[in-house]
Amino acid sequence: KIYALLSAPLITLSARFDFAVFKLPRSDFRSTFIKKVHGSFMSEVFLTMQLLSSRALCHYSSSIPYAAKVVLKQEELWLDIHSTSSIDFEHVHIEIVKTSSIQKNGVALNVIDGAWNILVTTGTYRTQGDRFQRFVNVNITPMADAFANPVAPHGLIGQSLHDPFAIQGKIDQYVPNAAGEYTTSAQGEGAIQGTIDDYEIRGDPFSSDFAFSRFGATKGARRDVVLLSGKRMSMVKHYEADALGGSQSDDGL
């Protein structure tokens, strides 16, 4: 399924979450007693950006981490770390960048639209067959224009921009059953408005249509954190998306 992570008047960022059966990284002490996890990982992202006279689309997948597809005025362009790695148009900059990760030849997608700085990196998790499968992580840094916009952003990540404090939702406890298996279930309960189903993007993956969409909006109130049941935490400086009910692994990097 595809869920909206960030929704603002000029941009929508969504990600596909795929179910997976995997092993925890060997560096995680829980891997000694949890033999199998049923969870999910983000595999690809979809961006829709509103320009003055058209829309720009960008697709980035963990299966091809060194390249991204950009569609501008119905023309399809490919960015590649080995050739044309960046493109600029109006207020948008899109680039495939090299990372400082310990991963060999690490690359990431960087999108800056004047209000948001989005970095999509890749990692790997260990399958039950001891093979490594890639996934993506999303880091979103709001810029001055994001805070100044009278339309409050939304999405699984974006909705927290104006919160006076952080909200911690439901967290998976990773207590295995008798067979040493664990199935994740946390889906942001207590930290998001509504339920996870309200954020699902149906049909076209580049669609901006979901329950709390702010794309193209001229008004949109900040959420009332008093109505959330999650635990209040100290504020952090960045906004990051991991898998819904998944677990990261640094094995194989």
Side-chain angles (χ1 to χ4, degrees):
K1 295 183 177 181
I2 298 174
Y3 296 98
L5 303 181
L6 170 66
S7 178
L10 298 180
I11 190 169
T12 294
L13 167 65
S14 303
R16 183 184 302 280
F17 290 80
D18 293 328
F19 290 106
V21 179
F22 58 94
K23 295 180 180 181
L24 293 174
R26 296 183 181 92
S27 58
D28 189 329
F29 76 95
R30 297 172 300 179
S31 65
T32 60
F33 55 87
I34 299 178
K35 305 304 180 184
K36 181 186 297 186
V37 179
H38 302 264
S40 61
F41 288 93
M42 293 188 296
S43 60
E44 55 186 333
V45 297
F46 306 88
L47 291 109
T48 299
M49 295 154 283
Q50 183 62 54
L51 306 178
L52 292 176
S53 59
S54 63
R55 290 184 180 181
L57 309 177
C58 181
H59 174 241
Y60 183 70
S61 173
S62 60
S63 62
I64 315 176
Y66 55 84
K69 183 173 72 172
V70 177
V71 179
L72 180 62
K73 295 182 178 179
Q74 299 184 334
E75 181 180 357
E76 185 176 297
L77 309 169
W78 279 92
L79 301 182
D80 190 306
I81 193 66
H82 302 298
S83 55
T84 303
S85 61
S86 67
I87 185 173
D88 292 275
F89 44 88
E90 295 186 15
H91 60 283
V92 178
H93 173 78
I94 303 177
E95 184 175 5
I96 300 294
V97 298
K98 293 184 178 179
T99 68
S100 57
S101 167
I102 60 174
Q103 180 181 7
K104 294 182 179 180
N105 300 318
V107 292
L109 171 70
N110 186 211
V111 178
I112 304 174
D113 80 334
W116 304 93
N117 187 335
I118 299 168
L119 186 68
V120 185
T121 58
T122 62
T124 59
Y125 64 89
R126 190 159 52 111
T127 69
Q128 279 298 292
D130 279 326
R131 303 188 64 172
F132 293 101
Q133 184 71 34
R134 287 187 177 276
F135 66 90
V136 299
N137 271 330
V138 177
N139 185 285
I140 301 175
T141 302
M143 302 168 72
D145 283 357
F147 290 99
N149 197 316
V151 180
H154 219 289
L156 290 171
I157 302 176
Q159 64 185 285
S160 64
L161 177 68
H162 296 292
D163 291 354
F165 45 79
I167 302 291
Q168 178 180 285
K170 180 180 177 181
I171 297 177
D172 284 302
Q173 299 303 313
Y174 283 85
V175 178
N177 61 19
E181 298 185 19
Y182 180 75
T183 300
T184 61
S185 61
Q187 295 184 323
E189 296 92 337
I192 61 173
Q193 285 187 297
T195 68
I196 190 64
D197 293 335
D198 294 324
Y199 298 84
E200 184 177 354
I201 300 291
R202 295 180 171 84
D204 184 350
F206 291 101
S207 171
S208 58
D209 186 20
F210 70 103
F212 300 103
S213 178
R214 295 291 191 267
F215 192 75
T218 56
K219 60 181 180 179
R222 303 177 182 184
R223 69 177 185 176
D224 186 352
V225 294
V226 175
L227 301 178
L228 301 176
S229 61
K231 180 181 179 181
R232 298 185 180 187
M233 307 284 288
S234 59
M235 185 60 71
V236 294
K237 298 298 184 179
H238 68 279
Y239 304 78
E240 187 169 358
D242 194 354
L244 281 178
S247 176
Q248 296 184 40
S249 170
D250 56 3
D251 286 26
L253 297 184

